[in-house]
Amino acid sequence: MKNKLKLTALGAAALLGLTGCGLSPSTGTVPPSAPGEIQPIPGLSEEKPKVTVTSKSFTEQLIVGKIAVIALQTAGFDVTDLTNVPGSQPARELLVSNAANMVWEYTGTAWLTYLGHEEPVPGAEAQWKAVRDEDAKNGLYWGAPAPLNNTYAMAMNEETAKELGVTKLSQLKDLDKSELTFCVDPEFNSRRDGLTPMLEAIGLKRGSDVPESNVGLYDVGAIYSATADGACNFGEVFTTDGRIKALNLTVLEDDVEYFPSYNMAPVINGEFYEQYPQVADVMAQIAPLLTDEVLMDLNYQVDVEGGEPADVAFAWMVQEGLVTEP
């Protein structure tokens, strides 16, 4: 396992590419903020200690990255905004190397991708604890996770939801074969933790209970509109995607606990955490508020309505009383 935890050649090259090219702070600024529930940390030097926040480059990560930037500037830090890093591995290596001090990360990503495990740990809390304990060996501190779980799910359009009356994944086994139609992407269709094992977990057999003609293959982005248009009854989605709200899709509860847990949690470089453990306390004020519904709405405001991630993040923080306008 030690070898897996060292920089891979690809990861090292990515990191060197970022640092060698002078990866620069985010060009998007965040609005000025004043204290609300988040207060200046007592005892910080008047010179304001420096902290660097990073994130990956997709919408949800940009939003939570900006939330962290705003929170820490309000708490009294001089914040370098290094959000919008292209790729999970480069963002991870920035944190491990202490080139960045904090990121919001997903438990499933850390367990399966960074730590190299082949199987998820069942249950959100158990998965977080497993990641927390193992990643401590890499010098990383995992704060308490948010309720947000950005994992796979099956969704229906409004008409289908009313017609079939199902709300849980397990209820698919009670449906007629003709109603078990799916829109999925090619990867989910074939991978060992994808569609076929999901059907088995429910109690359905692919080929007999679910004929191959019932499975339609689409690009990931096209699945949402295909499901909304009725091309299938059940579409593969990600639980916090803003298109769920935009297209009024209904997400089935994963009551068989098939999909891995991808709860978001603040991860802090251990060296920085030892010096400023209060950063974890600031993030602990935010994490309980980050639910699937909240991020679905914030993602919607950016992806569908065209809002800037920093502005959307700030408006939400003001609404929640975490910060105020100066």
Side-chain angles (χ1 to χ4, degrees):
M1 179 60 70
K2 274 190 175 181
N3 289 335
K4 285 187 178 181
L5 301 181
K6 291 179 180 178
L7 287 175
T8 63
L10 180 61
L15 179 59
L16 288 173
L18 290 173
T19 55
C21 292
L23 180 63
S24 60
S26 174
T27 55
T29 59
V30 300
S33 57
E37 293 293 328
I38 295 174
Q39 291 285 316
I41 296 171
L44 291 185
S45 68
E46 293 184 2
E47 297 180 357
K48 294 188 176 183
K50 296 183 181 296
V51 63
T52 298
V53 174
T54 191
S55 82
K56 305 169 199 181
S57 57
F58 57 90
T59 299
E60 182 166 283
Q61 277 280 296
L62 291 172
I63 292 170
V64 295
K66 299 301 185 183
I67 288 173
V69 170
I70 294 166
L72 292 176
Q73 77 177 13
T74 307
F77 286 90
D78 178 7
V79 185
T80 296
D81 181 352
L82 204 60
T83 56
N84 201 24
V85 170
S88 295
Q89 197 63 48
R92 165 77 170 187
E93 302 305 350
L94 287 171
L95 190 70
V96 170
S97 67
N98 206 20
N101 309 119
M102 188 248 151
V103 68
W104 287 96
E105 187 54 271
Y106 304 94
T107 54
T109 301
W111 187 252
L112 298 170
T113 302
Y114 304 144
L115 301 177
H117 294 278
E118 295 186 355
E119 298 291 339
V121 176
E125 184 175 2
Q127 180 67 92
W128 169 74
K129 287 181 177 178
V131 170
R132 176 198 63 185
D133 294 346
E134 187 164 329
D135 230 3
K137 302 171 187 176
N138 299 316
L140 299 180
Y141 172 86
W142 280 74
L148 178 151
N149 181 21
N150 189 1
T151 189
Y152 289 103
M154 286 290 151
M156 305 171 287
N157 66 24
E158 187 176 19
E159 182 180 348
T160 302
K162 291 178 180 178
E163 180 181 340
L164 298 182
V166 297
T167 59
K168 301 177 181 179
L169 208 55
S170 64
Q171 294 173 324
L172 268 61
K173 68 178 181 296
D174 301 322
L175 298 178
D176 185 81
K177 181 187 302 185
S178 64
E179 296 168 334
L180 294 171
T181 57
F182 297 87
C183 295
V184 298
D185 74 273
E187 180 183 349
F188 186 75
N189 179 58
S190 60
R191 57 194 252 178
R192 60 180 178 78
D193 60 346
L195 178 62
T196 301
M198 183 198 80
L199 295 174
E200 292 173 354
I202 298 169
L204 296 168
K205 290 186 178 180
R206 185 166 181 172
S208 53
D209 298 319
V210 180
E212 289 302 319
S213 58
N214 283 21
V215 180
L217 301 184
Y218 296 80
D219 290 337
V220 174
I223 292 173
Y224 293 84
S225 56
T227 305
D229 292 340
C232 59
N233 285 338
F234 304 100
E236 164 208 353
V237 299
F238 294 97
T239 50
T240 61
D241 196 298
R243 287 170 291 189
I244 293 174
K245 176 180 177 179
L247 297 171
N248 200 24
L249 301 180
T250 299
V251 175
L252 288 172
E253 176 189 345
D254 180 15
D255 60 328
V256 298
E257 295 188 340
Y258 173 73
F259 296 113
S261 296
Y262 283 85
N263 291 87
M264 184 184 286
V267 188
I268 305 168
N269 178 277
E271 183 180 333
F272 184 82
Y273 174 74
E274 288 181 6
Q275 191 172 7
Y276 300 106
Q278 306 97 322
V279 170
D281 297 330
V282 173
M283 296 305 131
Q285 293 179 265
I286 299 168
L289 304 175
L290 298 177
T291 65
D292 286 359
E293 293 75 19
V294 165
L295 262 297
M296 189 187 302
D297 181 59
L298 299 184
N299 288 333
Y300 174 87
Q301 291 180 44
V302 174
D303 288 334
V304 179
E305 297 182 339
E308 288 292 329
D311 295 335
V312 169
F314 179 70
W316 175 78
M317 295 180 78
V318 170
Q319 174 185 312
E320 293 296 326
L322 293 167
V323 300
T324 58
E325 296 183 12

